[in-house]
Amino acid sequence: MSALRRSTDPSVEEREWLTLVERKLVLVVVHTLTYGKRLVEVLSLLEADFRVQVVFTAPPHVFGDEVPRYLEGLGGAVLPWDEAVRMRFDLALAAGPRGVEKISGPVIAMSHGAGYLKRLVSVRQPGVAGLRRQDLVPGGRLPAAVAVPHHAELADLERHCPEVLPLTHVVGDPVHDRIAASLPLRARYRRALGLADGEKLVVVVSTWGARSSFGRFEALLPRLAAELPARRFRSVILVHPNVWSGHGSWQVRAWLARCAGSGTALVPPEADWRSVLIAADWIIGDHGSVTLYGTLTGAPILLAGSPDREINPASPAATLAVTAPALSPAHPLVGQLRYTAAEYRREEYAAIASRITSEPGRFNRNMRRLMYRVLGLGRPAHEPVTVPLPEPPPLDTWARGRREVPA
């Protein structure tokens, strides 16, 4: 029986088209575009292994609108959700809990951002997103393993969901490691973006939610065009994929159309934002993961929003909120950027960045070991390499509003 025919329900149609059979079958559970991009980062650890077949599925999710097109761009085999839950798998990878208890097979649960930053307060079951019991044990079912980025998470797990502590592995953070490996290529990324010598890049970042900096864009973005001298500054906007999915791609582009008209680039949700972050001279951000990853780059950070109620007080985002200067509506923007640069202390931000992962540079090694242990296979006899990020397209490409197919 072939890998994709291992159904728990005899009514599932058998797939007769496979050439390689009896593979270990890995299911990648892509609820949202954000989850998918994080999980694809992990899949590089299974490349070139003919013992493994990877398939994808997209469970229903309120922020899942962009997922089908993203998976189509990847070119992976995609199973309908109702079929996936009637099959057996040797491993499932998930960066979110919704519906995961329906999957037949061992599940490795992992975070989808820079640790666990967001505190949920206006919900039926408040707590830190990703660390609540319903996030870790969905439907009352324990995962095979929980992969966390930092040893500090262990204390939270012991307090909130002690039954998963024996299943938890500190593996590190893949985005941290890719950014760290790519920092020496900053000049190359800036050339690829089309930045001229001496031109400064301001990267404006927003997470999602009512208290994100996106809610302040109506006031902030006109200032980029009006106050930043066009010959000395370029600006680019990174908006969380959940904003695009929640409001619709057309609506987000319509809201920000005037920015594109003034030359500000809008990075599409499927694009890789990490090389853009590395190229930044300043980051204007909020309490989301992308702003926190900005502490790795050496770019001074100016906070346009950082709501205390939504930040996990034990997270590095809480430290960043009291370290980075806050954007003022009453003072000139160029002066605030200069002040932020003058006050920037690399050691302070490096200390914050060190709290993203306690296994810097070792995510690939640790995560591959964990996955192959769950698969019941010996891991390949070579060191997994952290590959530097590819060059981004020119900013003018995004300023014209063209879409990008995921690499």
Side-chain angles (χ1 to χ4, degrees), residues 282 298-302 322-326 335-349:
W282 283 277
I301 296 174
L302 185 61
V322 297
T323 302
Q336 292 187 65
L337 294 177
R338 289 173 178 166
Y339 174 84
T340 303
E343 292 293 309
Y344 179 81
R345 299 292 180 268
R346 185 71 188 98
E347 63 276 9
E348 291 182 324
Y349 290 85

mmCIF file with all atom_site columns, all heavy atoms in Angstrom, residues 282 298-302 322-326 335-349:
data_model
loop_
_atom_site.group_PDB
_atom_site.id
_atom_site.type_symbol
_atom_site.label_atom_id
_atom_site.label_alt_id
_atom_site.label_comp_id
_atom_site.label_asym_id
_atom_site.label_entity_id
_atom_site.label_seq_id
_atom_site.pdbx_PDB_ins_code
_atom_site.Cartn_x
_atom_site.Cartn_y
_atom_site.Cartn_z
_atom_site.occupancy
_atom_site.B_iso_or_equiv
_atom_site.pdbx_formal_charge
_atom_site.auth_seq_id
_atom_site.auth_comp_id
_atom_site.auth_asym_id
_atom_site.auth_atom_id
_atom_site.pdbx_PDB_model_num
ATOM 1   N N   . TRP A 1 282 ? 16.496 52.214 9.517  1.00 0.00 ? 282 TRP A N   1
ATOM 2   C CA  . TRP A 1 282 ? 15.622 52.385 10.675 1.00 0.00 ? 282 TRP A CA  1
ATOM 3   C C   . TRP A 1 282 ? 14.443 51.439 10.525 1.00 0.00 ? 282 TRP A C   1
ATOM 4   O O   . TRP A 1 282 ? 14.021 51.122 9.413  1.00 0.00 ? 282 TRP A O   1
ATOM 5   C CB  . TRP A 1 282 ? 15.073 53.817 10.768 1.00 0.00 ? 282 TRP A CB  1
ATOM 6   C CG  . TRP A 1 282 ? 16.017 54.834 11.281 1.00 0.00 ? 282 TRP A CG  1
ATOM 7   C CD1 . TRP A 1 282 ? 16.313 55.138 12.581 1.00 0.00 ? 282 TRP A CD1 1
ATOM 8   C CD2 . TRP A 1 282 ? 16.796 55.742 10.492 1.00 0.00 ? 282 TRP A CD2 1
ATOM 9   N NE1 . TRP A 1 282 ? 17.218 56.165 12.652 1.00 0.00 ? 282 TRP A NE1 1
ATOM 10  C CE2 . TRP A 1 282 ? 17.541 56.555 11.373 1.00 0.00 ? 282 TRP A CE2 1
ATOM 11  C CE3 . TRP A 1 282 ? 16.937 55.947 9.114  1.00 0.00 ? 282 TRP A CE3 1
ATOM 12  C CZ2 . TRP A 1 282 ? 18.399 57.551 10.933 1.00 0.00 ? 282 TRP A CZ2 1
ATOM 13  C CZ3 . TRP A 1 282 ? 17.795 56.925 8.666  1.00 0.00 ? 282 TRP A CZ3 1
ATOM 14  C CH2 . TRP A 1 282 ? 18.525 57.716 9.579  1.00 0.00 ? 282 TRP A CH2 1
ATOM 15  N N   . GLY A 1 298 ? 20.872 45.566 13.855 1.00 0.00 ? 298 GLY A N   1
ATOM 16  C CA  . GLY A 1 298 ? 21.659 46.763 14.103 1.00 0.00 ? 298 GLY A CA  1
ATOM 17  C C   . GLY A 1 298 ? 20.960 48.035 13.695 1.00 0.00 ? 298 GLY A C   1
ATOM 18  O O   . GLY A 1 298 ? 21.526 49.132 13.849 1.00 0.00 ? 298 GLY A O   1
ATOM 19  N N   . ALA A 1 299 ? 19.732 47.931 13.173 1.00 0.00 ? 299 ALA A N   1
ATOM 20  C CA  . ALA A 1 299 ? 18.975 49.124 12.803 1.00 0.00 ? 299 ALA A CA  1
ATOM 21  C C   . ALA A 1 299 ? 18.282 49.700 14.033 1.00 0.00 ? 299 ALA A C   1
ATOM 22  O O   . ALA A 1 299 ? 17.637 48.959 14.781 1.00 0.00 ? 299 ALA A O   1
ATOM 23  C CB  . ALA A 1 299 ? 17.936 48.778 11.739 1.00 0.00 ? 299 ALA A CB  1
ATOM 24  N N   . PRO A 1 300 ? 18.377 50.998 14.283 1.00 0.00 ? 300 PRO A N   1
ATOM 25  C CA  . PRO A 1 300 ? 17.626 51.602 15.389 1.00 0.00 ? 300 PRO A CA  1
ATOM 26  C C   . PRO A 1 300 ? 16.124 51.397 15.192 1.00 0.00 ? 300 PRO A C   1
ATOM 27  O O   . PRO A 1 300 ? 15.619 51.442 14.073 1.00 0.00 ? 300 PRO A O   1
ATOM 28  C CB  . PRO A 1 300 ? 18.002 53.081 15.302 1.00 0.00 ? 300 PRO A CB  1
ATOM 29  C CG  . PRO A 1 300 ? 19.290 53.106 14.551 1.00 0.00 ? 300 PRO A CG  1
ATOM 30  C CD  . PRO A 1 300 ? 19.226 51.972 13.586 1.00 0.00 ? 300 PRO A CD  1
ATOM 31  N N   . ILE A 1 301 ? 15.415 51.183 16.291 1.00 0.00 ? 301 ILE A N   1
ATOM 32  C CA  . ILE A 1 301 ? 13.986 50.881 16.255 1.00 0.00 ? 301 ILE A CA  1
ATOM 33  C C   . ILE A 1 301 ? 13.195 51.990 16.924 1.00 0.00 ? 301 ILE A C   1
ATOM 34  O O   . ILE A 1 301 ? 13.524 52.433 18.029 1.00 0.00 ? 301 ILE A O   1
ATOM 35  C CB  . ILE A 1 301 ? 13.706 49.531 16.940 1.00 0.00 ? 301 ILE A CB  1
ATOM 36  C CG1 . ILE A 1 301 ? 14.391 48.391 16.165 1.00 0.00 ? 301 ILE A CG1 1
ATOM 37  C CG2 . ILE A 1 301 ? 12.203 49.270 17.047 1.00 0.00 ? 301 ILE A CG2 1
ATOM 38  C CD1 . ILE A 1 301 ? 14.298 47.037 16.844 1.00 0.00 ? 301 ILE A CD1 1
ATOM 39  N N   . LEU A 1 302 ? 12.152 52.449 16.243 1.00 0.00 ? 302 LEU A N   1
ATOM 40  C CA  . LEU A 1 302 ? 11.230 53.461 16.758 1.00 0.00 ? 302 LEU A CA  1
ATOM 41  C C   . LEU A 1 302 ? 9.855  52.807 16.827 1.00 0.00 ? 302 LEU A C   1
ATOM 42  O O   . LEU A 1 302 ? 9.385  52.232 15.840 1.00 0.00 ? 302 LEU A O   1
ATOM 43  C CB  . LEU A 1 302 ? 11.206 54.655 15.801 1.00 0.00 ? 302 LEU A CB  1
ATOM 44  C CG  . LEU A 1 302 ? 10.407 55.901 16.171 1.00 0.00 ? 302 LEU A CG  1
ATOM 45  C CD1 . LEU A 1 302 ? 10.925 56.526 17.456 1.00 0.00 ? 302 LEU A CD1 1
ATOM 46  C CD2 . LEU A 1 302 ? 10.468 56.912 15.019 1.00 0.00 ? 302 LEU A CD2 1
ATOM 47  N N   . VAL A 1 322 ? 10.172 48.978 26.442 1.00 0.00 ? 322 VAL A N   1
ATOM 48  C CA  . VAL A 1 322 ? 10.682 50.006 27.356 1.00 0.00 ? 322 VAL A CA  1
ATOM 49  C C   . VAL A 1 322 ? 12.110 50.416 27.003 1.00 0.00 ? 322 VAL A C   1
ATOM 50  O O   . VAL A 1 322 ? 12.716 51.217 27.711 1.00 0.00 ? 322 VAL A O   1
ATOM 51  C CB  . VAL A 1 322 ? 10.619 49.524 28.819 1.00 0.00 ? 322 VAL A CB  1
ATOM 52  C CG1 . VAL A 1 322 ? 9.175  49.284 29.234 1.00 0.00 ? 322 VAL A CG1 1
ATOM 53  C CG2 . VAL A 1 322 ? 11.457 48.266 29.041 1.00 0.00 ? 322 VAL A CG2 1
ATOM 54  N N   . THR A 1 323 ? 12.630 49.875 25.901 1.00 0.00 ? 323 THR A N   1
ATOM 55  C CA  . THR A 1 323 ? 13.991 50.202 25.458 1.00 0.00 ? 323 THR A CA  1
ATOM 56  C C   . THR A 1 323 ? 13.979 51.128 24.249 1.00 0.00 ? 323 THR A C   1
ATOM 57  O O   . THR A 1 323 ? 14.708 52.126 24.200 1.00 0.00 ? 323 THR A O   1
ATOM 58  C CB  . THR A 1 323 ? 14.774 48.916 25.125 1.00 0.00 ? 323 THR A CB  1
ATOM 59  O OG1 . THR A 1 323 ? 14.818 48.063 26.269 1.00 0.00 ? 323 THR A OG1 1
ATOM 60  C CG2 . THR A 1 323 ? 16.196 49.247 24.682 1.00 0.00 ? 323 THR A CG2 1
ATOM 61  N N   . ALA A 1 324 ? 13.149 50.804 23.265 1.00 0.00 ? 324 ALA A N   1
ATOM 62  C CA  . ALA A 1 324 ? 13.103 51.608 22.037 1.00 0.00 ? 324 ALA A CA  1
ATOM 63  C C   . ALA A 1 324 ? 12.294 52.882 22.250 1.00 0.00 ? 324 ALA A C   1
ATOM 64  O O   . ALA A 1 324 ? 11.282 52.867 22.959 1.00 0.00 ? 324 ALA A O   1
ATOM 65  C CB  . ALA A 1 324 ? 12.493 50.783 20.909 1.00 0.00 ? 324 ALA A CB  1
ATOM 66  N N   . PRO A 1 325 ? 12.693 53.991 21.650 1.00 0.00 ? 325 PRO A N   1
ATOM 67  C CA  . PRO A 1 325 ? 11.907 55.229 21.751 1.00 0.00 ? 325 PRO A CA  1
ATOM 68  C C   . PRO A 1 325 ? 10.535 55.078 21.106 1.00 0.00 ? 325 PRO A C   1
ATOM 69  O O   . PRO A 1 325 ? 10.345 54.264 20.194 1.00 0.00 ? 325 PRO A O   1
ATOM 70  C CB  . PRO A 1 325 ? 12.760 56.254 20.994 1.00 0.00 ? 325 PRO A CB  1
ATOM 71  C CG  . PRO A 1 325 ? 14.137 55.673 20.951 1.00 0.00 ? 325 PRO A CG  1
ATOM 72  C CD  . PRO A 1 325 ? 13.952 54.190 20.911 1.00 0.00 ? 325 PRO A CD  1
ATOM 73  N N   . ALA A 1 326 ? 9.574  55.877 21.578 1.00 0.00 ? 326 ALA A N   1
ATOM 74  C CA  . ALA A 1 326 ? 8.213  55.858 21.051 1.00 0.00 ? 326 ALA A CA  1
ATOM 75  C C   . ALA A 1 326 ? 8.008  56.995 20.060 1.00 0.00 ? 326 ALA A C   1
ATOM 76  O O   . ALA A 1 326 ? 8.425  58.131 20.305 1.00 0.00 ? 326 ALA A O   1
ATOM 77  C CB  . ALA A 1 326 ? 7.206  55.967 22.194 1.00 0.00 ? 326 ALA A CB  1
ATOM 78  N N   . GLY A 1 335 ? 13.823 64.270 12.600 1.00 0.00 ? 335 GLY A N   1
ATOM 79  C CA  . GLY A 1 335 ? 14.468 64.506 13.886 1.00 0.00 ? 335 GLY A CA  1
ATOM 80  C C   . GLY A 1 335 ? 14.320 63.309 14.820 1.00 0.00 ? 335 GLY A C   1
ATOM 81  O O   . GLY A 1 335 ? 15.252 62.981 15.568 1.00 0.00 ? 335 GLY A O   1
ATOM 82  N N   . GLN A 1 336 ? 13.184 62.658 14.789 1.00 0.00 ? 336 GLN A N   1
ATOM 83  C CA  . GLN A 1 336 ? 12.986 61.480 15.635 1.00 0.00 ? 336 GLN A CA  1
ATOM 84  C C   . GLN A 1 336 ? 13.871 60.317 15.189 1.00 0.00 ? 336 GLN A C   1
ATOM 85  O O   . GLN A 1 336 ? 14.393 59.566 16.017 1.00 0.00 ? 336 GLN A O   1
ATOM 86  C CB  . GLN A 1 336 ? 11.512 61.066 15.619 1.00 0.00 ? 336 GLN A CB  1
ATOM 87  C CG  . GLN A 1 336 ? 10.598 62.073 16.301 1.00 0.00 ? 336 GLN A CG  1
ATOM 88  C CD  . GLN A 1 336 ? 9.183  61.550 16.423 1.00 0.00 ? 336 GLN A CD  1
ATOM 89  O OE1 . GLN A 1 336 ? 8.926  60.572 17.122 1.00 0.00 ? 336 GLN A OE1 1
ATOM 90  N NE2 . GLN A 1 336 ? 8.245  62.203 15.739 1.00 0.00 ? 336 GLN A NE2 1
ATOM 91  N N   . LEU A 1 337 ? 14.033 60.160 13.880 1.00 0.00 ? 337 LEU A N   1
ATOM 92  C CA  . LEU A 1 337 ? 14.928 59.111 13.389 1.00 0.00 ? 337 LEU A CA  1
ATOM 93  C C   . LEU A 1 337 ? 16.368 59.389 13.827 1.00 0.00 ? 337 LEU A C   1
ATOM 94  O O   . LEU A 1 337 ? 17.089 58.475 14.252 1.00 0.00 ? 337 LEU A O   1
ATOM 95  C CB  . LEU A 1 337 ? 14.840 59.015 11.866 1.00 0.00 ? 337 LEU A CB  1
ATOM 96  C CG  . LEU A 1 337 ? 13.495 58.555 11.286 1.00 0.00 ? 337 LEU A CG  1
ATOM 97  C CD1 . LEU A 1 337 ? 13.549 58.585 9.757  1.00 0.00 ? 337 LEU A CD1 1
ATOM 98  C CD2 . LEU A 1 337 ? 13.129 57.156 11.776 1.00 0.00 ? 337 LEU A CD2 1
ATOM 99  N N   . ARG A 1 338 ? 16.774 60.629 13.732 1.00 0.00 ? 338 ARG A N   1
ATOM 100 C CA  . ARG A 1 338 ? 18.139 60.983 14.156 1.00 0.00 ? 338 ARG A CA  1
ATOM 101 C C   . ARG A 1 338 ? 18.319 60.751 15.655 1.00 0.00 ? 338 ARG A C   1
ATOM 102 O O   . ARG A 1 338 ? 19.356 60.245 16.095 1.00 0.00 ? 338 ARG A O   1
ATOM 103 C CB  . ARG A 1 338 ? 18.428 62.438 13.808 1.00 0.00 ? 338 ARG A CB  1
ATOM 104 C CG  . ARG A 1 338 ? 18.597 62.685 12.317 1.00 0.00 ? 338 ARG A CG  1
ATOM 105 C CD  . ARG A 1 338 ? 18.702 64.171 12.015 1.00 0.00 ? 338 ARG A CD  1
ATOM 106 N NE  . ARG A 1 338 ? 18.920 64.421 10.586 1.00 0.00 ? 338 ARG A NE  1
ATOM 107 C CZ  . ARG A 1 338 ? 18.774 65.605 10.012 1.00 0.00 ? 338 ARG A CZ  1
ATOM 108 N NH1 . ARG A 1 338 ? 18.406 66.662 10.744 1.00 0.00 ? 338 ARG A NH1 1
ATOM 109 N NH2 . ARG A 1 338 ? 18.989 65.747 8.716  1.00 0.00 ? 338 ARG A NH2 1
ATOM 110 N N   . TYR A 1 339 ? 17.320 61.123 16.433 1.00 0.00 ? 339 TYR A N   1
ATOM 111 C CA  . TYR A 1 339 ? 17.387 60.895 17.878 1.00 0.00 ? 339 TYR A CA  1
ATOM 112 C C   . TYR A 1 339 ? 17.491 59.400 18.183 1.00 0.00 ? 339 TYR A C   1
ATOM 113 O O   . TYR A 1 339 ? 18.298 58.980 19.023 1.00 0.00 ? 339 TYR A O   1
ATOM 114 C CB  . TYR A 1 339 ? 16.144 61.475 18.556 1.00 0.00 ? 339 TYR A CB  1
ATOM 115 C CG  . TYR A 1 339 ? 16.063 61.159 20.034 1.00 0.00 ? 339 TYR A CG  1
ATOM 116 C CD1 . TYR A 1 339 ? 16.730 61.939 20.964 1.00 0.00 ? 339 TYR A CD1 1
ATOM 117 C CD2 . TYR A 1 339 ? 15.337 60.060 20.492 1.00 0.00 ? 339 TYR A CD2 1
ATOM 118 C CE1 . TYR A 1 339 ? 16.666 61.646 22.329 1.00 0.00 ? 339 TYR A CE1 1
ATOM 119 C CE2 . TYR A 1 339 ? 15.271 59.757 21.840 1.00 0.00 ? 339 TYR A CE2 1
ATOM 120 C CZ  . TYR A 1 339 ? 15.934 60.548 22.753 1.00 0.00 ? 339 TYR A CZ  1
ATOM 121 O OH  . TYR A 1 339 ? 15.877 60.253 24.096 1.00 0.00 ? 339 TYR A OH  1
ATOM 122 N N   . THR A 1 340 ? 16.678 58.592 17.508 1.00 0.00 ? 340 THR A N   1
ATOM 123 C CA  . THR A 1 340 ? 16.701 57.140 17.730 1.00 0.00 ? 340 THR A CA  1
ATOM 124 C C   . THR A 1 340 ? 18.064 56.559 17.407 1.00 0.00 ? 340 THR A C   1
ATOM 125 O O   . THR A 1 340 ? 18.568 55.687 18.130 1.00 0.00 ? 340 THR A O   1
ATOM 126 C CB  . THR A 1 340 ? 15.608 56.471 16.873 1.00 0.00 ? 340 THR A CB  1
ATOM 127 O OG1 . THR A 1 340 ? 14.342 57.045 17.187 1.00 0.00 ? 340 THR A OG1 1
ATOM 128 C CG2 . THR A 1 340 ? 15.545 54.982 17.126 1.00 0.00 ? 340 THR A CG2 1
ATOM 129 N N   . ALA A 1 341 ? 18.685 57.047 16.329 1.00 0.00 ? 341 ALA A N   1
ATOM 130 C CA  . ALA A 1 341 ? 20.021 56.561 15.964 1.00 0.00 ? 341 ALA A CA  1
ATOM 131 C C   . ALA A 1 341 ? 21.060 56.986 16.991 1.00 0.00 ? 341 ALA A C   1
ATOM 132 O O   . ALA A 1 341 ? 21.954 56.213 17.359 1.00 0.00 ? 341 ALA A O   1
ATOM 133 C CB  . ALA A 1 341 ? 20.400 57.073 14.577 1.00 0.00 ? 341 ALA A CB  1
ATOM 134 N N   . ALA A 1 342 ? 20.953 58.223 17.482 1.00 0.00 ? 342 ALA A N   1
ATOM 135 C CA  . ALA A 1 342 ? 21.925 58.714 18.455 1.00 0.00 ? 342 ALA A CA  1
ATOM 136 C C   . ALA A 1 342 ? 21.810 57.977 19.787 1.00 0.00 ? 342 ALA A C   1
ATOM 137 O O   . ALA A 1 342 ? 22.818 57.762 20.480 1.00 0.00 ? 342 ALA A O   1
ATOM 138 C CB  . ALA A 1 342 ? 21.727 60.214 18.663 1.00 0.00 ? 342 ALA A CB  1
ATOM 139 N N   . GLU A 1 343 ? 20.606 57.580 20.158 1.00 0.00 ? 343 GLU A N   1
ATOM 140 C CA  . GLU A 1 343 ? 20.383 56.903 21.433 1.00 0.00 ? 343 GLU A CA  1
ATOM 141 C C   . GLU A 1 343 ? 20.570 55.388 21.349 1.00 0.00 ? 343 GLU A C   1
ATOM 142 O O   . GLU A 1 343 ? 20.548 54.710 22.378 1.00 0.00 ? 343 GLU A O   1
ATOM 143 C CB  . GLU A 1 343 ? 18.952 57.199 21.921 1.00 0.00 ? 343 GLU A CB  1
ATOM 144 C CG  . GLU A 1 343 ? 18.730 58.648 22.329 1.00 0.00 ? 343 GLU A CG  1
ATOM 145 C CD  . GLU A 1 343 ? 19.528 59.006 23.575 1.00 0.00 ? 343 GLU A CD  1
ATOM 146 O OE1 . GLU A 1 343 ? 19.441 58.272 24.574 1.00 0.00 ? 343 GLU A OE1 1
ATOM 147 O OE2 . GLU A 1 343 ? 20.260 60.021 23.539 1.00 0.00 ? 343 GLU A OE2 1
ATOM 148 N N   . TYR A 1 344 ? 20.738 54.883 20.138 1.00 0.00 ? 344 TYR A N   1
ATOM 149 C CA  . TYR A 1 344 ? 20.829 53.435 19.952 1.00 0.00 ? 344 TYR A CA  1
ATOM 150 C C   . TYR A 1 344 ? 22.098 52.880 20.600 1.00 0.00 ? 344 TYR A C   1
ATOM 151 O O   . TYR A 1 344 ? 23.198 53.394 20.382 1.00 0.00 ? 344 TYR A O   1
ATOM 152 C CB  . TYR A 1 344 ? 20.829 53.115 18.452 1.00 0.00 ? 344 TYR A CB  1
ATOM 153 C CG  . TYR A 1 344 ? 20.948 51.646 18.118 1.00 0.00 ? 344 TYR A CG  1
ATOM 154 C CD1 . TYR A 1 344 ? 19.838 50.813 18.175 1.00 0.00 ? 344 TYR A CD1 1
ATOM 155 C CD2 . TYR A 1 344 ? 22.175 51.101 17.738 1.00 0.00 ? 344 TYR A CD2 1
ATOM 156 C CE1 . TYR A 1 344 ? 19.942 49.472 17.868 1.00 0.00 ? 344 TYR A CE1 1
ATOM 157 C CE2 . TYR A 1 344 ? 22.279 49.760 17.422 1.00 0.00 ? 344 TYR A CE2 1
ATOM 158 C CZ  . TYR A 1 344 ? 21.161 48.948 17.491 1.00 0.00 ? 344 TYR A CZ  1
ATOM 159 O OH  . TYR A 1 344 ? 21.267 47.617 17.185 1.00 0.00 ? 344 TYR A OH  1
ATOM 160 N N   . ARG A 1 345 ? 21.926 51.833 21.384 1.00 0.00 ? 345 ARG A N   1
ATOM 161 C CA  . ARG A 1 345 ? 23.046 51.138 22.019 1.00 0.00 ? 345 ARG A CA  1
ATOM 162 C C   . ARG A 1 345 ? 22.979 49.666 21.600 1.00 0.00 ? 345 ARG A C   1
ATOM 163 O O   . ARG A 1 345 ? 22.081 48.936 22.001 1.00 0.00 ? 345 ARG A O   1
ATOM 164 C CB  . ARG A 1 345 ? 22.977 51.250 23.549 1.00 0.00 ? 345 ARG A CB  1
ATOM 165 C CG  . ARG A 1 345 ? 23.034 52.681 24.069 1.00 0.00 ? 345 ARG A CG  1
ATOM 166 C CD  . ARG A 1 345 ? 24.407 53.294 23.817 1.00 0.00 ? 345 ARG A CD  1
ATOM 167 N NE  . ARG A 1 345 ? 24.475 54.676 24.303 1.00 0.00 ? 345 ARG A NE  1
ATOM 168 C CZ  . ARG A 1 345 ? 24.203 55.742 23.568 1.00 0.00 ? 345 ARG A CZ  1
ATOM 169 N NH1 . ARG A 1 345 ? 23.841 55.598 22.290 1.00 0.00 ? 345 ARG A NH1 1
ATOM 170 N NH2 . ARG A 1 345 ? 24.282 56.960 24.086 1.00 0.00 ? 345 ARG A NH2 1
ATOM 171 N N   . ARG A 1 346 ? 23.935 49.262 20.802 1.00 0.00 ? 346 ARG A N   1
ATOM 172 C CA  . ARG A 1 346 ? 23.888 47.913 20.219 1.00 0.00 ? 346 ARG A CA  1
ATOM 173 C C   . ARG A 1 346 ? 23.795 46.841 21.284 1.00 0.00 ? 346 ARG A C   1
ATOM 174 O O   . ARG A 1 346 ? 23.081 45.840 21.117 1.00 0.00 ? 346 ARG A O   1
ATOM 175 C CB  . ARG A 1 346 ? 25.142 47.677 19.347 1.00 0.00 ? 346 ARG A CB  1
ATOM 176 C CG  . ARG A 1 346 ? 25.109 46.344 18.603 1.00 0.00 ? 346 ARG A CG  1
ATOM 177 C CD  . ARG A 1 346 ? 24.092 46.370 17.494 1.00 0.00 ? 346 ARG A CD  1
ATOM 178 N NE  . ARG A 1 346 ? 23.884 45.061 16.878 1.00 0.00 ? 346 ARG A NE  1
ATOM 179 C CZ  . ARG A 1 346 ? 22.891 44.247 17.182 1.00 0.00 ? 346 ARG A CZ  1
ATOM 180 N NH1 . ARG A 1 346 ? 22.002 44.582 18.098 1.00 0.00 ? 346 ARG A NH1 1
ATOM 181 N NH2 . ARG A 1 346 ? 22.743 43.103 16.558 1.00 0.00 ? 346 ARG A NH2 1
ATOM 182 N N   . GLU A 1 347 ? 24.483 47.010 22.400 1.00 0.00 ? 347 GLU A N   1
ATOM 183 C CA  . GLU A 1 347 ? 24.484 45.969 23.425 1.00 0.00 ? 347 GLU A CA  1
ATOM 184 C C   . GLU A 1 347 ? 23.106 45.770 24.047 1.00 0.00 ? 347 GLU A C   1
ATOM 185 O O   . GLU A 1 347 ? 22.740 44.646 24.433 1.00 0.00 ? 347 GLU A O   1
ATOM 186 C CB  . GLU A 1 347 ? 25.532 46.278 24.506 1.00 0.00 ? 347 GLU A CB  1
ATOM 187 C CG  . GLU A 1 347 ? 25.311 47.551 25.313 1.00 0.00 ? 347 GLU A CG  1
ATOM 188 C CD  . GLU A 1 347 ? 25.838 48.808 24.647 1.00 0.00 ? 347 GLU A CD  1
ATOM 189 O OE1 . GLU A 1 347 ? 26.244 48.720 23.461 1.00 0.00 ? 347 GLU A OE1 1
ATOM 190 O OE2 . GLU A 1 347 ? 25.849 49.872 25.308 1.00 0.00 ? 347 GLU A OE2 1
ATOM 191 N N   . GLU A 1 348 ? 22.333 46.840 24.160 1.00 0.00 ? 348 GLU A N   1
ATOM 192 C CA  . GLU A 1 348 ? 20.979 46.708 24.716 1.00 0.00 ? 348 GLU A CA  1
ATOM 193 C C   . GLU A 1 348 ? 20.094 45.857 23.815 1.00 0.00 ? 348 GLU A C   1
ATOM 194 O O   . GLU A 1 348 ? 19.344 44.981 24.296 1.00 0.00 ? 348 GLU A O   1
ATOM 195 C CB  . GLU A 1 348 ? 20.344 48.084 24.900 1.00 0.00 ? 348 GLU A CB  1
ATOM 196 C CG  . GLU A 1 348 ? 20.959 48.935 25.985 1.00 0.00 ? 348 GLU A CG  1
ATOM 197 C CD  . GLU A 1 348 ? 20.240 50.259 26.142 1.00 0.00 ? 348 GLU A CD  1
ATOM 198 O OE1 . GLU A 1 348 ? 19.784 50.822 25.126 1.00 0.00 ? 348 GLU A OE1 1
ATOM 199 O OE2 . GLU A 1 348 ? 20.123 50.727 27.286 1.00 0.00 ? 348 GLU A OE2 1
ATOM 200 N N   . TYR A 1 349 ? 20.172 46.107 22.518 1.00 0.00 ? 349 TYR A N   1
ATOM 201 C CA  . TYR A 1 349 ? 19.335 45.363 21.584 1.00 0.00 ? 349 TYR A CA  1
ATOM 202 C C   . TYR A 1 349 ? 19.848 43.938 21.376 1.00 0.00 ? 349 TYR A C   1
ATOM 203 O O   . TYR A 1 349 ? 19.056 43.020 21.133 1.00 0.00 ? 349 TYR A O   1
ATOM 204 C CB  . TYR A 1 349 ? 19.230 46.125 20.272 1.00 0.00 ? 349 TYR A CB  1
ATOM 205 C CG  . TYR A 1 349 ? 18.416 47.381 20.428 1.00 0.00 ? 349 TYR A CG  1
ATOM 206 C CD1 . TYR A 1 349 ? 18.999 48.571 20.875 1.00 0.00 ? 349 TYR A CD1 1
ATOM 207 C CD2 . TYR A 1 349 ? 17.049 47.385 20.186 1.00 0.00 ? 349 TYR A CD2 1
ATOM 208 C CE1 . TYR A 1 349 ? 18.251 49.717 21.057 1.00 0.00 ? 349 TYR A CE1 1
ATOM 209 C CE2 . TYR A 1 349 ? 16.285 48.534 20.355 1.00 0.00 ? 349 TYR A CE2 1
ATOM 210 C CZ  . TYR A 1 349 ? 16.895 49.695 20.798 1.00 0.00 ? 349 TYR A CZ  1
ATOM 211 O OH  . TYR A 1 349 ? 16.145 50.831 20.989 1.00 0.00 ? 349 TYR A OH  1
#
